[in-house]
Amino acid sequence: MKDSHSSLGNEAFGDQAASLITIRYRTHQDALEFMQSTLRGPNGIGLLRGSEGAGKTVLAGELANELSCEAYVALVDGTSLEPRELLAQILTEYGYEPGDEPNEEFLAAIEEFAAEQVGSGQHPVLIIDNVDHMYPAALRTLNTIAGLSVDGRAAIRIMMTSQHGLQKLTESNCIASIAEREPAAHVLEPMSSKETVIYLHARLQAAGSNSADTVFPFDVCDRLLEQSKGWPGLLNKYALEAIKRSAEFPISVVDTYSPSAYKEQTAQDIPVQGESESLSRMPPRLVITKDGETLTEFTFKERKVLIGRSDFADVIIDDDFVSKIHAVLLLYADALVLLDLNSVNGITVNSVTLKKTILRDDDIISLGDHRIKVVNAPAISDEMEQLLKSHDTLKMKNLLDVRHHQARRLAMVVDNS
């Protein structure tokens, strides 16, 4: 369990995940469109600003990938970069093999290459990530590159990313040529609550999770949004930490059920009538029908099963009268609990409208035009039997709170990080 949690977290939110998974939320798309249109504009230079974790590096990489099919693109991380390293990396990205020549020859080679490309109708592109973290000497070299021209036009199109603007650098006069080209600027905005949910769930699904909303329920997404302020880099950090630490806090309230406890049965193992104890050891199933026709069957492999119209649901009911996340089934050793999740049209069991109940074998759940038959429900314990006969709702209320148990646990992990 702990290893599977760690693997899922690394694949969805780890250091290597960003290059494999791209989730285009609105602000991400707006920034990408800004960079593309700016580089094609008359000045051909721009600055993408955003705080730490805003996704600038991811966007720079995506821009480079998209432009590489139409022009030569050099993507360089400016962090602690020296002039020679800057020139050598640009030449390498443009397809040259720099040797021991002095910096002046490196610069001349870049100028000659740019002139050839402009002559053929293709301006080379230079993307400098973290331009505000470059050494002053490297900035002056970048300024020289920005001043290269062919027939009065800038030879190289440049896109920079930075946490801050260029005002202080402009005042120091070390980037006069850059300033003269009047870079267009765009400020990244954080993700909204809806975008955060889509982002987290999409990354989990891309990493192979079939129950993203169970790993990160909506209230956990909201908590992660609060902690990260909506910045994707920080969201990845907190999400990864939450998933890794979650394995250290078992959900004891539902740990009494384990699908692995059910043995595989051959024909002779099928229990005869009256062997309820053996029957209860078989995994519960749901038979979904519409107009008397069986559409599909669902066998429990998890303790919590979401029912709804959304693709995030475990049991998807394609019905206009079914909410996106309509109800949840919670599996215990001594009960199968059905809870309505504030759906619009409610649920009925055996023609009785209700909000919560403990299900028995052959119970029929009605959702819109669909029917769900319960098969192999766990035998109800004496305690649960007494609960059904009484008006005590305390335990049922506690069962309802199970839906938020993981959310509270993960939120605690985030707070402690």
Side-chain angles (χ1 to χ4, degrees), residues 105-377:
E105 291 191 22
F106 280 0
L107 187 59
I110 293 174
E111 183 176 12
E112 181 181 353
F113 173 78
E116 291 175 356
Q117 293 302 307
V118 172
S120 65
Q122 291 182 328
H123 287 256
V125 176
L126 172 59
I127 303 172
I128 301 290
D129 192 25
N130 301 311
V131 68
D132 52 338
H133 293 163
M134 296 176 71
Y135 286 132
L139 270 173
R140 288 191 289 272
T141 301
L142 175 61
N143 183 67
T144 301
I145 294 173
L148 298 177
S149 64
V150 177
D151 298 330
R153 295 177 299 165
I156 297 179
R157 293 170 175 167
I158 300 174
M159 180 57 60
M160 302 167 285
T161 76
S162 169
Q163 289 191 33
H164 311 288
L166 299 176
Q167 183 177 359
K168 290 184 178 180
L169 298 176
T170 303
E171 292 172 353
S172 68
N173 206 35
C174 70
I175 57 169
S177 296
I178 293 176
E180 187 176 341
R181 288 176 62 175
E182 298 180 346
H186 180 84
V187 180
L188 281 167
E189 298 292 336
M191 284 186 280
S192 66
S193 177
K194 180 179 179 181
E195 288 171 338
T196 299
V197 173
I198 294 172
Y199 178 90
L200 290 169
H201 288 181
R203 276 186 168 270
L204 286 168
Q205 288 178 325
S209 173
N210 294 320
S211 54
D213 61 316
T214 303
V215 179
F216 285 147
F218 297 123
D219 37 7
V220 173
C221 293
D222 287 342
R223 185 58 178 158
L224 289 170
L225 171 62
E226 180 182 345
Q227 293 292 316
S228 67
K229 309 301 182 185
W231 300 120
L234 297 179
L235 194 58
N236 290 345
K237 173 186 175 182
Y238 289 124
L240 177 60
E241 189 67 20
I243 288 178
K244 286 183 174 180
R245 292 191 184 181
S246 65
E248 302 174 9
F249 298 88
I251 307 175
S252 58
V253 71
V254 293
D255 274 347
T256 53
Y257 166 73
S258 173
S260 62
Y262 295 107
K263 64 177 183 179
E264 294 183 5
Q265 294 187 326
T266 59
Q268 60 266 33
D269 292 325
I270 297 176
V272 298
Q273 186 177 4
E275 289 185 77
S276 59
E277 182 178 354
S278 296
L279 182 63
S280 69
R281 295 177 59 193
M282 298 175 64
R285 289 186 296 119
L286 304 175
V287 181
I288 298 93
T289 64
K290 182 180 180 181
D291 299 328
E293 179 182 350
T294 298
L295 301 180
T296 187
E297 294 190 11
F298 178 89
T299 300
F300 276 71
K301 295 180 181 179
E302 303 289 341
R303 305 178 186 93
K304 174 183 174 183
V305 173
L306 288 169
I307 301 174
R309 196 176 74 250
S310 168
D311 290 341
F312 290 133
D314 302 298
V315 178
I316 300 174
I317 306 296
D318 187 11
D319 192 306
D320 291 339
F321 290 96
V322 175
S323 298
K324 290 184 178 180
I325 301 296
H326 197 107
V328 64
L329 289 165
L330 300 172
L331 183 58
Y332 297 82
D334 60 350
L336 178 60
V337 178
L338 172 67
L339 303 172
D340 179 47
L341 298 180
N342 298 319
S343 63
V344 175
N345 296 300
I347 53 177
T348 63
V349 176
N350 303 329
S351 301
V352 177
T353 302
L354 44 74
K355 285 289 186 182
K356 51 186 176 289
T357 190
I358 298 174
L359 297 169
R360 300 175 183 272
D361 262 355
D362 298 326
D363 278 349
I364 303 295
I365 305 168
S366 297
L367 296 174
D369 294 330
H370 290 70
R371 304 291 178 267
I372 302 177
K373 182 179 179 180
V374 179
V375 180
N376 297 336

Side-chain angles (χ1 to χ4, degrees), residues 253 256 330-337 357-360 378-390 392 395-396 399:
V253 71
T256 53
L330 300 172
L331 183 58
Y332 297 82
D334 60 350
L336 178 60
V337 178
T357 190
I358 298 174
L359 297 169
R360 300 175 183 272
I380 300 175
S381 66
D382 292 341
E383 179 185 6
M384 287 292 187
E385 191 71 47
Q386 291 301 315
L387 175 63
L388 288 174
K389 294 178 181 178
S390 70
D392 180 11
K395 187 168 184 178
M396 290 303 294
L399 291 175

Side-chain angles (χ1 to χ4, degrees), residues 22-32 58-59 62:
T22 299
I23 311 300
R24 289 192 174 181
Y25 47 94
R26 180 186 59 79
T27 54
H28 176 108
Q29 188 63 30
D30 288 347
L32 192 59
V58 172
L59 282 162
E62 188 171 349

